[in-house]
Every structure is written in structure tokens, then in C-alpha cells.
Amino acid sequence: MTNPQDDQDPQAPDHAPDTPPPGCPAHAARLYGPEFRRHPAQTYQRIRRDSGQVAPVLLEGDIDAWFVLGYRETRHVLSDTDTFGRDPRRWNGWDGVPPDWPLMPWVAYSPMMTFTEGDEHRRRSTAASEALATVDPFVLRGHCERFADQLIDKFTPNGRADLVYDYIYSVPALATAELFGLSEDEAGLGALAQGLTVSFLSDEEAIAGQQRVAAYVAELVKAKREAPGPDLTSQFVLNTPELTEEQQTADVMVLMAAALPLTSYWIGNTLRLMLTDERFAMTLSGNRRSIGEAMNEVLWADSPLQNLIGRYATRDTSLGGRRIRAGDLVVLGLAAANADPLLWPDTPVGHAGNHSHVAFSGGEYGCPVGGPETARIIAETAIEVLLDRVPDLTLAVEPEELSWVDSFWYRCLDSLPVTFSPTSVTAG
Ligand code: HEM
């Protein structure tokens, strides 16, 4: 099979106006703007062609960074944690960053586990995994089936739905409420999901979105410290008596920020693939086998987290033939690395059964043990129940009309309109 991101968009100009002349060190490609937004895969392809597997790029606001597109180079950065640290206070570029920089919420230092290194990181990541290990997969699956059925009951009489608004966020939001011990109050959950989503957008809303989520999670952690319950938040708090309330709040926010939006986008991108690609055609008889394959294909071809900030060089080093200086910011292009043509020579072999993608990052600092499995249970159940209940789901627009949210980090749809035969039969 050929690399899924290789198919050139005939509309995409061969050389966009912002493309630097090949090899010119004074110009770096922009990882923002309309061209990047519309055609990220083509942008990565062009950067790789012009500048190689590790390229100088400009982030929103023309901030300099190194962009790692090579799979081998990405694996190297992920595994060499001595040379590539995570504490953003190491960054030598802070002087040029404006206070309202849209990427600020998840890059500026705060007491989150995501910015810790070494033993401190190991303790906090292990505490997260131990909390996730208390989740009973059968119980979680049962809850997700119930949430999925309730949501489907609401839209099946209409014969049409926008799955992004009516389903894709809602199943993980309700699962998050169940897992983290939140109330299932729709307004509160909607605000949480919305805050988490906008905190990753490439606009001025991002900072305010993250602040709203932080306030919400702070209340939750405070309550669970006083009266623990049978939930992940309480379990994490109990597992980390050495952390301050502020640190626990920051870590629970990281857990939620990963669990809710990323699992939603995994569902959305898989449904899009199944609705648009005949290899995964949604037939009642075929869907069981296809769902797992489609979910894996998405982790290669449309990974929910496409770019990751990041790592900071702890010393002068070289990577992919580039000289990296101590304190330089290294952005991990997870989607670009998964599409590396060196990894995908033109062979008839597809992604089936191959789980060596970097959609969950990897190495010591990657998505912690328990994260991917929890997300898989939620996503797979949501997709299975939908296809069981609404087997004649059809995309209501042409596949090219689907548009993607403007985010440097995420790969997620703006909307996913579908039609189907209306029915008033409910799950109950
Ligand atoms: C229930 C679902 C999930 C949970 C609880 C979870 C939890 C976490 C946590 C706590 C971290 C921070 C790790 C650290 O700083 O050491 C993290 C990082 C990450 N997660 Fe997950 N996650 C979930 C789902 C996902 C999904 C669906 C994806 C993408 C397909 C994903 C991809 C990542 C990536 C790329 C990182 C960044 C790691 C790095 O910095 O290298 N996660 N996750």
C-alpha cells in the first residue's frame, strides 16, 4: 500500500507562496496559516522535500523551532530523554514569545506532569497509570454502551445528525464524567469539553479556555481531597500524597485533556474514514472486523494529536544532519513521522496489525500505560454501538466538503453530517 498521506491534492500548489527556497537557511516554512490549515499533510510533505527530516520552521507568531518529520529521528528524540528534555523553562526562545501567544496554554511552564523530567516524572506518570489500572474495562464498556444508546435515541427519529455535535464529543464527555467522578450535568460537561477544545485552538480563545478548565478541575480536586470517591480523580489524589493541591489539579487536568478531546477525535476520524473509504465500508456484516482496523489506520493516517510541543535540547547536539543548540525547541511532528516515506516504501502491505505508529508519542514521556487502552474501550464502544443501531449511516455531504478545526495540535473535524433511515425504536 502507498502512504495514505502521499496522495497529492491536485488543488494544492506545488510551491505555496510561503515555501522557502530549498536549503535556504534564512527562510523557514510556516507551520500555521491557511495553507497549513487546509493541507497539513501536503505541508509536511513539502517541508520534508525542501528541508529534510528535521526542518527549521516558524510557529504561529513567527516563532522559530525545529520540526522533526522523520520517523527514525522522532523515535530517537523520544528515547534520548537526557538530550531532549521537557521542561519549557529550558527554551532559549522565550524572549520572542508574546504573552497572548495562542500556543501558550500547553507550552508555558506550569506544575503539570507533562513538564517534569526524570524521577519526578516517573513518580507522577506511575501514579496516573496506577489510577488508570483501577478502571474495570467491562464496567467502563457497559457505561459507554449506555451513554451511546441514550445519545442515539435522541437523534434517530430525525433521519439526520451532525455526529460531531450529537455524538463524537458526548460519549467521551460522559465517560470522562463517570471516570473522574464529575456529575453528569450536561451544561457543566459541555463547558468542560468546550474549554478543553478551545484551549488547543490556534486563536485568542485558547488561554481563556484553559483557565476555565483549570478553575473547574481545581474545584473537583478540592472536593475529592476532602471526600474521596470511587473515581480516577480520588485515586490519583490518594496515589500522590507528596504533591501539592496545585500539582494534583494540574495533573488531573492533563489526564482529562488527553482523555476527552483526543478520544473524541479518534472516534470522529475513524467514523470519517469508515464513511468515505470503501476499504472500511460500513456494512452491518463487515463492521466488527473493520472497526479495529479503521481505528488503527487513523492512528497512522489521521492521528488525533498531529504535532507535539515538545522537547528542548539540554545540550548542543545534532539531529537529522542539523545542528541543534542547547535550549532549542524541538516540535515532534507525530503525523509527519507516521507518514515518513522511508517507513512506507511503495509495497502492497498496509497498516493492518502494525501498531508501531507514534500517535501516542512513545518512550518514557509518552502517553502513560492505561491511557491508550482506556481510550480504545471508549472509542470502540462508541463506534460499535453507533454502527449496530444505525447501520445505513451515510455521509450527507461530499467527502471534500468536510473541514477540519484550526488547530496546530489536533486533527479533528468541524462537523460530520450524516443521514440514515429514521426510526423511533429506542435502546430501552
Ligand atoms: C483515556 C484516555 C487517555 C488518557 C487518560 C491519557 C493520558 C495521558 C497523560 C496523563 C499524558 C501525559 C503524560 C506525561 O506527561 O508523562 C498523555 C500524553 C499523551 N497522550 Fe494520552 N491519554 C489518553 C488518550 C490518548 C489518545 C486517544 C491519544 C492519541 C491517539 C493520546 C496521545 C498522547 C500523546 C501523543 C501524549 C504526549 C506524550 C509526550 O509528551 O510525549 N492519548 N496522555
Side-chain angles (χ1 to χ4, degrees):
M1 193 185 108
T2 51
N3 180 339
Q5 300 217 7
D6 267 356
D7 46 332
Q8 280 283 358
D9 180 341
Q11 303 296 321
D14 195 31
H15 269 278
D18 60 348
T19 305
C24 172
H27 296 83
R30 292 189 188 127
L31 268 194
Y32 68 92
E35 186 58 26
F36 168 63
R37 209 158 49 229
R38 272 199 303 278
H39 305 293
Q42 284 81 8
T43 306
Y44 306 144
Q45 212 173 25
R46 205 172 50 239
I47 296 175
R48 195 191 317 265
R49 186 193 60 202
D50 293 343
S51 309
Q53 301 283 48
V54 177
V57 288
L58 296 172
L59 306 180
E60 190 80 44
D62 285 346
I63 307 293
D64 286 312
W66 292 107
F67 186 50
V68 186
L69 302 101
Y71 180 86
R72 204 157 55 102
E73 290 75 6
T74 299
R75 285 279 180 208
H76 174 77
V77 172
L78 293 176
S79 61
D80 187 355
T81 51
D82 286 341
T83 310
F84 298 99
R86 301 214 292 176
D87 188 330
R89 291 171 296 186
R90 295 181 187 282
W91 191 11
N92 56 23
W94 276 116
D95 284 352
V97 176
D100 59 351
W101 192 43
L103 303 183
M104 195 71 99
W106 301 99
V107 179
Y109 179 79
S110 71
M112 296 181 200
M113 75 166 83
T114 328
F115 299 138
T116 57
E117 300 174 348
D119 284 345
E120 158 113 46
H121 171 264
R122 258 186 296 282
R123 271 197 304 277
R124 288 164 77 167
S125 167
T126 305
S129 289
E130 285 175 359
L132 284 163
T134 63
V135 175
D136 181 327
F138 296 103
V139 174
L140 177 61
R141 197 182 159 83
H143 286 308
C144 291
E145 282 173 359
R146 178 167 58 86
F147 301 143
D149 275 327
Q150 283 164 1
L151 292 159
I152 293 167
D153 285 348
K154 287 192 197 163
F155 62 70
T156 38
N158 307 335
R160 56 192 316 117
D162 184 337
L163 293 178
V164 167
Y165 291 95
D166 297 333
Y167 196 71
I168 286 166
Y169 280 102
S170 310
V171 179
L174 291 164
T176 301
E178 184 63 40
L179 284 170
F180 287 85
L182 315 176
S183 84
E184 281 184 23
D185 143 57
E186 263 188 40
L189 279 183
L192 175 69
Q194 200 259 1
L196 281 171
T197 305
V198 300
S199 73
F200 287 95
L201 295 184
S202 300
D203 66 22
E204 64 286 350
E205 284 289 297
I207 295 173
Q210 199 209 34
Q211 285 167 348
R212 286 199 299 277
V213 175
Y216 184 97
V217 177
E219 285 297 311
L220 175 73
V221 168
K222 192 180 204 42
K224 299 294 178 185
R225 279 167 69 101
E226 283 163 13
D231 54 68
L232 269 180
T233 312
S234 305
Q235 199 57 55
F236 184 77
V237 164
L238 292 170
N239 289 353
T240 53
E242 76 289 0
L243 296 187
T244 63
E245 189 169 329
E246 193 193 7
Q247 289 170 320
Q248 290 174 335
T249 299
D251 285 358
V252 172
M253 188 160 83
V254 169
L255 278 156
M256 278 188 199
L260 202 163
L262 291 176
T263 307
S264 304
Y265 308 151
W266 197 4
I267 298 171
N269 297 357
T270 303
L271 286 172
R272 183 198 73 101
L273 180 68
M274 297 188 82
L275 285 162
T276 57
D277 187 324
E278 63 185 26
R279 286 176 303 147
F280 301 102
M282 300 205 301
T283 63
L284 196 53
S285 57
N287 73 39
R288 293 281 169 199
R289 193 176 60 93
S290 315
I291 290 171
E293 285 174 16
M295 286 177 69
N296 189 48
E297 176 84 12
V298 159
L299 295 179
W300 282 103
D302 265 326
S303 48
L305 193 65
Q306 54 173 346
N307 293 309
L308 180 61
I309 298 180
R311 302 291 191 260
Y312 306 88
T314 59
R315 57 180 175 86
D316 289 357
T317 185
S318 66
L319 181 70
R322 301 287 188 174
R323 190 101 192 97
I324 313 280
R325 296 196 182 284
D328 281 359
L329 165 60
V330 174
V331 176
L332 293 166
L334 303 179
N338 280 337
D340 187 345
L342 292 180
L343 193 63
W344 298 111
D346 200 356
T347 72
V349 182
H351 294 123
N354 185 335
H355 300 282
S356 51
H357 55 75
V358 285
F360 294 109
S361 168
E364 204 178 315
Y365 298 148
C367 188
V369 174
E373 184 53 18
T374 308
R376 192 188 58 75
I377 293 168
I378 300 169
E380 195 175 72
T381 311
I383 298 168
E384 272 181 17
V385 175
L386 181 69
L387 302 191
D388 274 353
R389 295 273 315 273
V390 197
D392 64 346
L393 215 54
T394 309
L395 196 60
V397 296
E398 292 301 319
E400 311 75 62
E401 289 174 52
L402 293 173
S403 62
W404 301 87
V405 164
D406 178 15
S407 170
F408 163 82
W409 311 87
Y410 284 163
R411 177 83 170 147
C412 61
L413 290 163
D414 258 332
S415 77
L416 189 59
V418 290
T419 55
F420 45 86
S421 314
T423 164
S424 48
V425 178
T426 62

